[in-house]
Amino acid sequence: MKQKITIKTIAKELGVSTSTVSKALKDSHEISTETKKKIQAYADFYNYKPNNLALQLRNQKTKVIGVILPKIVHHFFSTVIMGIEEGANEKGYNIMVCFSNESYKKEVETLKVLSNGSVDGLIVSIANETLKNKDFKHFTDLVAEEIPLVLFDRVVDEILCDKVVVDDVGAGYKATRHLLENGRKKIALITTPNHVSVGALRRQGYEKALIESYIKTDEKLIVEIDENQDIKKQIEKVFEEAIDGVFAVNEIYAANSMRIAKEKGLSIPEEISIIGFTDGLISEYSSPSITTIAQHGFTMGKQAVEVLIERIEKDAEIYSPKKIVISSDLKLRESTKPSS
Amino acid sequence: MKQKITIKTIAKELGVSTSTVSKALKDSHEISTETKKKIQAYADFYNYKPNNLALQLRNQKTKVIGVILPKIVHHFFSTVIMGIEEGANEKGYNIMVCFSNESYKKEVETLKVLSNGSVDGLIVSIANETLKNKDFKHFTDLVAEEIPLVLFDRVVDEILCDKVVVDDVGAGYKATRHLLENGRKKIALITTPNHVSVGALRRQGYEKALIESYIKTDEKLIVEIDENQDIKKQIEKVFEEAIDGVFAVNEIYAANSMRIAKEKGLSIPEEISIIGFTDGLISEYSSPSITTIAQHGFTMGKQAVEVLIERIEKDAEIYSPKKIVISSDLKLRESTKPSS
DNA sequence: AAAAGTCACGAAATCGGTTTCGTGTTAACA
DNA sequence: TGTTAACACGAAACCGATTTCGTGACTTTT
């Protein structure tokens, strides 16, 4: 890279001190109009821009927010990023995005790198592996250091910090209830292993809705997907039961379910209703289009970043973690038209 | 945030100088084993971590790569990010992701912020608005400052820097050729306005394939989508012609086309074949699944970051911009089963 | 004419590290 | 015993800004 022009260069070249240059560039009244003109013209001509690093070091703030996501090729998470970015920008912050790829080790490392002064605060959704391990020391350390932290979507109680989540229990309930109201009786649940908090919560909602309708939950109708194996094969098993409804905790599971139903010759939504989670493109463009729980990822991201920035900018105050619950709602589409 | 422990703190507390602490922590031979032990133990106990900003300022490098994308809620771009991130990580870099949201103004601002020392280099895909304006001064300025820059996917000749692109002409040709080989004669092209470079190039490929088959390109079969208006409505018009094939330059256009075809009662792929671009989830999960040109976004991202880092790390050398062309290939699916 | 005030600018500290170049003490060597 | 080398450490410069506190030269006031 070309040698950048600094205040020192300008000072030397114009035979003044660096303080004079600095003040002149901020149009300080301490400096004579003449000198200011000269300095500003010079700076302008050589396209002087103050070095960010120097400013950040001096001001002890970076105006950067670190974001760590489990993955990005995923409609929900990319929507959240948009929200974070918009919120951050409005307050003059930039975001630094990293990925844990669902790996505990990478999460720890990334957290370490980012928390060394590079960012003013962090927004994180916890990696699957970490949730399984239940090892949250890297997070609690962060909290102990009083680095502003906001968790979203995948959160745990062990970490004392601000959180933004969707009402997963409520959403699971709504989805299941909707199927029941359509007259469905044997509703399969395609979910994640229980250590993924959101999966467990959505399951609670599912069970609650069933109980209310005096239906016993049947373990044979519940599939916990292991993402390291063939997803479709795992879902196919539950189709051996005489199911008439499917509640999938994400788009991919829903799309797979639909495909299987079609292959089995089941007509949707006449013979079987399907409902998904995360209102992404697949749900919108598949045919029939899939009824889903809209998670409002954008809102989550924006809320998360707003809470974080508040925390960053007035941190003298006493810490009492907030938990923001975003209510999700049902987006009705073709896959669950009321059965007659 | 809590006051972080610094070298100065340690030095004062242990009654040594900061230089001694610094050296001790790097296990320098200049320091006696005894002193080193003492210092290291203290640092360890208080969980000392060097301040990144200070290091970056001193070393004149940040080990951060700036990435500016037009949008993120898009399978192709999020795949590219994954590639960039993986490549960056392998070389010890982090990435700072920003979005232009297709806006010229935001692109200029973001570029300015990032190029002030916050990053060692930049990877950018140009915003639509900028392509339309044809105002690339913010980029050429960057090049003049010799800040390492790599453009990908949406690139322009006016900017002298490294580039990574897919063989768009070839891809458009392949796609069209495939339809022709399936016996299709009236092939619609659903593309972007011509100022989007990739759209124009894919169109070239389309036209080339048609010419080779002695088919005159028919302007009535070509739709340039204005994203500010209803996409489906715009595509519907071309369906008034008796088309038997559709080549869409992205997934969304392809999915919309398929939906329209279905609504018109056309069976796919018997009566009409559809082929898309970008191998995303919609294409995979729609039914019938959609044949697409796989863009290899991950590879693009990884290549881009590798070129960039090379540029960053040995920049003494003379500048001769590289252009890397990633070949794309056809992913055959149900929407273009050979017509009998 | 002496005291006070204003103006325009510079020296130096600071942010948190690294690194070069001493320097005082002790040990080894001639 | 005088010279030299090794050892263990500190002072200070540096990265690129900002900011406080002087200070010398004039100007104004009494």
Side-chain angles (χ1 to χ4, degrees), chain A residues 1 89 106 262 287 315, chain B residues 1 52 89 106 262 287 315:
Chain A
M1 214 182 310
N89 260 10
K106 185 136 188 258
K262 277 189 193 168
S287 75
D315 73 355
Chain B
M1 214 183 306
N52 257 335
N89 262 11
K106 183 135 189 258
K262 278 189 193 167
S287 75
D315 74 355

Side-chain angles (χ1 to χ4, degrees), chain A residues 1-2 4 47 49-54 56-57 62 64 72-73 75 78-79 81-82 85 89 94-99 101 106 112-113 115-118 120 144-148 252 255-256 259 262 281-282 284-287 289 315 334, chain B residues 1-2 4 47 49-54 56-57 62 64 72-73 75 78-79 81-82 85 89 94-99 101 106 112-113 115-118 120 144-148 252 255-256 259 262 281-282 284-287 289 315 334:
Chain A
M1 214 182 310
K2 210 165 166 178
K4 281 207 141 200
N47 195 24
K49 287 177 289 183
N51 181 307
N52 257 334
L53 291 177
Q56 292 174 1
L57 178 59
T62 62
V64 174
I72 177 65
V73 188
H75 189 265
S78 47
T79 312
I81 291 202
M82 283 304 295
E85 215 262 347
N89 260 10
N94 273 91
I95 67 176
M96 188 147 166
V97 183
C98 298
F99 308 100
N101 292 328
K106 185 136 188 258
K112 189 156 57 175
V113 174
S115 66
N116 276 219
S118 302
D120 291 344
E145 287 184 60
E146 289 172 29
I147 293 175
I252 304 289
N256 271 294
R259 180 154 281 249
K262 277 189 193 168
L281 296 170
I282 303 179
E284 189 177 345
Y285 286 106
S286 70
S287 75
S289 55
D315 73 355
E334 297 163 354
Chain B
M1 214 183 306
K2 208 167 170 176
K4 282 206 139 201
N47 194 25
K49 286 177 289 181
N51 181 306
N52 257 335
L53 291 177
Q56 292 174 2
L57 179 58
T62 62
V64 174
I72 177 66
V73 188
H75 189 265
S78 45
T79 312
I81 291 203
M82 282 305 296
E85 215 260 347
N89 262 11
N94 273 92
I95 66 176
M96 187 148 167
V97 184
C98 298
F99 307 100
N101 293 327
K106 183 135 189 258
K112 191 157 56 177
V113 174
S115 67
N116 277 221
S118 302
D120 290 345
E145 287 184 60
E146 289 172 27
I147 292 174
I252 303 289
N256 271 294
R259 179 154 280 247
K262 278 189 193 167
L281 296 171
I282 304 178
E284 188 177 345
Y285 286 105
S286 70
S287 75
S289 54
D315 74 355
E334 297 163 353

Side-chain angles (χ1 to χ4, degrees), chain B residues 103-315:
Chain B
S103 143
Y104 167 77
K105 196 171 154 232
K106 183 135 189 258
E107 185 174 271
V108 173
E109 278 168 13
T110 310
L111 222 48
K112 191 157 56 177
V113 174
L114 293 190
S115 67
N116 277 221
S118 302
V119 300
D120 290 345
L122 284 157
I123 298 178
V124 184
S125 189
I126 307 175
N128 261 337
E129 203 189 340
T130 309
L131 291 169
K132 206 188 298 185
N133 292 349
K134 290 192 193 303
D135 183 351
F136 307 117
K137 187 166 182 312
H138 49 311
F139 286 110
T140 52
D141 283 354
L142 217 64
V143 174
E145 287 184 60
E146 289 172 27
I147 292 174
L149 168 70
V150 174
L151 293 177
F152 78 91
D153 196 52
R154 297 169 177 184
V155 307
V156 293
D157 291 337
E158 285 92 327
I159 307 169
L160 254 94
C161 66
D162 297 313
K163 285 157 198 157
V164 181
V165 293
V166 291
D167 173 22
D168 282 296
V169 178
Y173 176 80
K174 268 184 213 166
T176 314
R177 192 93 204 88
H178 175 65
L179 292 172
L180 291 167
E181 281 165 0
N182 278 207
R184 304 308 179 179
K185 305 279 186 210
K186 292 201 71 174
I187 301 171
L189 171 68
I190 321 291
T191 184
T192 62
N194 245 317
H195 65 257
V196 180
S197 48
V198 294
L201 294 171
R202 289 169 198 172
R203 180 184 188 143
Q204 278 178 35
Y206 163 82
E207 290 175 346
K208 183 178 157 208
L210 290 185
I211 289 168
E212 274 189 19
S213 294
Y214 309 106
I215 297 178
K216 236 182 87 193
T217 63
D218 181 352
E219 286 297 327
K220 285 206 296 296
L221 299 186
I222 298 178
V223 190
E224 288 181 10
I225 300 291
D226 174 355
E227 298 236 353
N228 298 317
Q229 294 179 40
D230 190 307
I231 294 174
K232 200 172 162 207
K233 284 218 181 94
Q234 295 175 69
I235 300 178
E236 265 165 358
K237 263 190 212 132
V238 83
F239 270 80
E240 290 165 9
E241 306 288 323
I243 57 176
D244 57 9
V246 173
F247 169 35
V249 302
N250 67 43
E251 249 192 354
I252 303 289
Y253 300 171
N256 271 294
S257 304
M258 200 160 82
R259 179 154 280 247
I260 295 166
K262 278 189 193 167
E263 286 170 5
K264 298 245 173 202
L266 296 167
S267 69
I268 309 162
E270 289 75 17
E271 296 174 81
I272 186 166
S273 294
I274 294 176
I275 186 163
F277 217 103
T278 307
D279 184 33
L281 296 171
I282 304 178
S283 310
E284 188 177 345
Y285 286 105
S286 70
S287 75
S289 54
I290 307 177
T291 293
T292 60
I293 294 285
Q295 258 176 302
H296 305 301
F298 188 88
T299 311
M300 281 191 75
K302 200 153 178 188
Q303 291 260 5
V305 80
E306 278 166 6
V307 174
L308 182 68
I309 292 178
E310 205 186 314
R311 209 48 103 179
I312 291 172
E313 298 192 342
K314 36 177 165 173
D315 74 355

Side-chain angles (χ1 to χ4, degrees), chain A residues 229-293:
Chain A
Q229 293 180 40
D230 189 307
I231 295 175
K232 200 173 161 205
K233 284 221 180 92
Q234 295 174 69
I235 300 178
E236 265 165 358
K237 265 193 213 127
V238 82
F239 270 81
E240 289 165 9
E241 306 288 322
I243 58 177
D244 56 9
V246 172
F247 169 35
V249 301
N250 67 43
E251 249 191 354
I252 304 289
Y253 300 172
N256 271 294
S257 303
M258 198 160 83
R259 180 154 281 249
I260 295 166
K262 277 189 193 168
E263 287 170 6
K264 298 243 172 203
L266 297 167
S267 67
I268 309 161
E270 289 74 17
E271 297 174 79
I272 187 167
S273 293
I274 294 176
I275 188 163
F277 217 104
T278 307
D279 183 34
L281 296 170
I282 303 179
S283 310
E284 189 177 345
Y285 286 106
S286 70
S287 75
S289 55
I290 307 177
T291 292
T292 60
I293 294 284

Side-chain angles (χ1 to χ4, degrees), chain A residues 68-84:
Chain A
I68 305 178
L69 304 176
K71 51 189 167 192
I72 177 65
V73 188
H74 193 290
H75 189 265
F76 172 65
F77 284 115
S78 47
T79 312
V80 173
I81 291 202
M82 283 304 295
I84 295 179

